Amino acid sequence: MMHSRANATARASAALSFPNAQRSSVERAFAFACFTFLLAANVCLLSRTAGVPDRSLIAGGMLILCATLYPAELLLVLRKSVLILFIASGLAVLGLLLSFVNGASMRDALQNVVEIHLQTLVLLLGAGTLARICGARACAIAIVGVIGVSVSVAVMQMMHVGPGWSLRLALGPLHDDDVVRSMINRRPTGLAYSPTQLAAQVCLAFAAYAAVRDRLRQIEIGSRTADLTILLALMVLFAACLASETRAPIMGGFVFLVLYAVARRSSWLVLLLILGGFVTFLVWPLLMEMIQSSAPRVLSVDDNSAASRLVFAYYGTRLFLDNPIGYGLTFDPTTMWTRYWSDLYLLKGAAGAQVHPLHDYVFSMVNIYGFGLLLFVPFAVRQLGRARESLIFFVPYIVVILFHNAGPFFNDVILWFAVAAVSALPAPTPTIGQFRRVPATRLARMRAMQRQRLSRYPAGSRLAPR
């Protein structure tokens, strides 16, 4: 009898922990389909020939649908996301103010607010609500599936299979330009707008999958050891980056691997790292001899793209020092290079400053919002502290944005789908050791709250204690 009562209590606790436990399979399937469709629209659809982007219209419609069908869940997501929403709203106000101070076009500034900050709010609430209905595991499957299709198309493009490029060019009129067409014919993009976007999306797919699997593994088998499946997922990330010829995620993957080995105190993983490094040391000269002068882009560190990172760092620093209050939402460094050319032109890859943004998320944000960005640091740190259990799996993505422009609150909307998936996870279950460190008064309150939650189940239901 005690065993039966314990099982019922465990089932009730699981039902309370998992937001979608009381939903029917039809509801979960519908929410999963909506989440997948919304994600695919933001990965693939770029914009209309003129007017509002298609993906923005779909996101707005999906939020209205969530408000109609799931108002209680939407309000809960709103309360849980208050810090992120505050940061997005505050940055929008600060950006508009700085745009006005710098004499920028307010129409362009408002367009940036709609496309970046407002879209962040809409996607975070819509995707978060759908994630609570269909569950974190289903969201991770959707993210991996949609971005996996994009990677498959990138592999087709890498192998010069015609339909791969035809499909990409058919998705948006932005690729009609001959210059852009020549650019994408050099590097595969998958279904994304650019190779760098594809790389960031692959990192987010890995983060969502690994974070969800790790948390569910802790709940289901109580294990916090290193997971071989996550390492295999990392190998898939490396392969996808080879297809898109993007280097930053590979660097981020190795940083994650080291941190993961240290965090999980796994002796076999440390041994694997040492063995992998030794094999690489032996095989590398042979590999270089095999590929000779036709080295893939991911193995090259002396091309103009790599060299221009120093140019962008210097250029971004100079721009900030000349206007530390920030340039506002219409900041475009490609229109300001003439004042600094006398200091830039001797650097290798200096021409990149004439045609490309700063290729560094931090420098871009600092120059847009200036030192006013410091006002939001405490809120960002608090939000990251809440997500500390899953933050390690976003390390490859963090490394990527340090070498490219898109990032949180700045031209990266796919991030919020991964955030929605992680937010739908149940809280980590405290271990016995953690309970021993909890004060007796707090532990009593926790037990009282648990009893109160269990009392909500009517007698005779399958979840009621027996």
Side-chain angles (χ1 to χ4, degrees):
M1 182 176 178
M2 292 181 63
H3 181 70
S4 175
R5 185 183 182 88
N7 288 341
T9 303
R11 290 196 302 269
S13 301
L16 288 166
S17 298
F18 288 85
N20 66 330
Q22 301 302 310
R23 297 288 176 178
S24 68
S25 57
V26 174
E27 282 183 300
R28 292 197 296 268
F30 176 73
F32 172 76
C34 291
F35 185 92
T36 304
F37 176 67
L38 182 60
L39 172 64
N42 280 274
V43 169
C44 304
L45 297 182
L46 301 177
S47 67
R48 296 178 180 273
T49 304
V52 181
D54 293 320
R55 62 187 185 186
S56 298
L57 294 175
I58 294 172
M62 201 66 71
L63 181 59
I64 294 173
L65 180 66
C66 290
T68 304
L69 298 179
Y70 315 113
E73 285 76 10
L74 178 59
L75 288 175
L76 182 60
V77 171
L78 180 62
R79 288 197 295 269
K80 289 183 64 176
S81 308
V82 65
L83 272 179
I84 299 178
L85 299 178
F86 172 77
I87 295 172
S89 303
L91 289 175
V93 173
L94 177 61
L96 284 174
L97 177 62
L98 292 174
S99 300
F100 175 77
V101 169
N102 285 277
S105 167
M106 292 310 295
R107 179 179 178 180
D108 293 340
L110 286 170
Q111 183 177 352
N112 276 277
V113 168
V114 171
E115 293 181 356
I116 298 175
H117 305 88
L118 181 59
Q119 189 162 232
T120 294
L121 271 62
V122 170
L123 283 175
L124 184 63
L125 294 177
T129 303
L130 294 171
R132 287 189 63 83
I133 304 301
C134 67
R137 195 193 304 268
C139 290
I141 291 172
I143 294 171
V144 171
V146 171
I147 296 177
V149 171
S150 184
V151 170
S152 300
V153 174
V155 173
M156 294 172 62
Q157 294 166 353
M158 179 185 67
M159 299 174 66
H160 304 289
V161 177
W165 287 116
S166 300
L167 180 59
R168 172 62 271 174
L169 294 172
L171 287 175
L174 293 178
H175 288 305
D176 287 345
D177 192 308
D178 289 338
V179 175
V180 180
R181 187 186 297 270
S182 66
M183 179 193 74
I184 64 173
N185 279 327
R186 289 204 311 268
R187 292 176 60 192
T189 66
L191 298 178
Y193 174 68
S194 68
T196 55
Q197 279 195 2
L198 176 62
Q201 291 168 9
V202 169
C203 291
L204 290 172
F206 167 78
Y209 170 80
V212 169
R213 176 177 172 81
D214 184 72
R215 181 74 61 81
L216 295 181
R217 188 166 174 260
Q218 291 180 35
I219 294 171
E220 292 169 358
I221 64 175
S223 175
R224 293 181 60 88
T225 58
D227 186 0
L228 181 60
T229 305
I230 290 179
L231 299 183
L232 293 176
L234 186 65
M235 297 302 106
V236 175
L237 181 147
F238 289 159
C241 294
L242 288 173
S244 64
E245 300 181 14
T246 310
R247 293 166 288 208
I250 297 178
M251 181 193 306
F254 281 114
V255 174
F256 161 77
L257 200 56
V258 174
L259 295 177
Y260 189 62
V262 173
R264 297 306 162 92
R265 297 183 177 89
S266 174
S267 57
W268 68 265
L269 182 54
V270 173
L271 181 63
L272 182 64
L273 286 174
I274 296 174
L275 181 62
F278 180 70
V279 172
T280 302
F281 176 77
L282 295 178
V283 173
W284 190 263
L286 179 61
L287 178 63
M288 289 295 99
E289 184 179 350
M290 289 174 59
I291 61 179
Q292 294 181 352
S293 61
S294 58
R297 184 178 184 274
V298 293
L299 299 178
S300 175
V301 294
D302 59 352
D303 60 342
N304 282 336
S305 178
S308 63
R309 292 307 194 272
L310 177 62
V311 175
F312 291 134
Y314 174 75
Y315 183 33
T317 303
R318 288 288 303 273
L319 288 171
F320 172 73
L321 293 177
D322 286 351
N323 186 14
I325 68 169
Y327 294 90
L329 297 172
T330 59
F331 169 69
D332 184 2
T334 62
T335 63
M336 305 176 182
W337 60 270
T338 53
R339 292 175 51 192
Y340 306 93
W341 188 243
S342 59
D343 298 324
L344 293 174
Y345 79 99
L346 292 177
L347 299 176
K348 183 179 180 180
Q354 302 177 7
V355 294
H356 297 299
L358 294 179
H359 274 62
D360 188 305
Y361 170 73
V362 175
F363 276 116
S364 296
M365 292 290 284
V366 165
N367 277 287
I368 291 172
Y369 300 104
F371 56 74
L373 201 61
L374 295 174
L375 297 173
F376 301 93
V377 169
F379 302 101
V381 170
R382 184 175 179 184
Q383 180 62 43
L384 292 175
R386 291 180 177 178
R388 60 184 176 276
E389 288 286 331
S390 304
L391 194 60
I392 187 174
F393 302 109
F394 287 83
V395 167
Y397 172 75
I398 293 171
V399 172
V400 165
I401 65 176
L402 293 178
F403 292 90
H404 301 100
N405 291 291
F409 312 108
F410 188 53
N411 295 333
D412 189 356
V413 295
I414 306 302
L415 169 66
W416 307 117
F417 291 91
V419 170
V422 174
S423 298
L425 285 165
T429 304
T431 63
I432 295 176
Q434 289 173 321
F435 270 120
R436 287 173 181 166
R437 292 191 293 270
V438 175
T441 54
R442 184 179 174 189
L443 186 57
R445 287 198 301 270
M446 292 169 63
R447 288 171 175 167
M449 290 174 62
Q450 182 70 3
R451 287 195 296 269
Q452 183 180 5
R453 289 176 178 174
L454 293 176
S455 68
R456 297 176 185 173
Y457 293 91
S461 70
R462 64 183 183 88
L463 292 177
R466 303 181 186 276

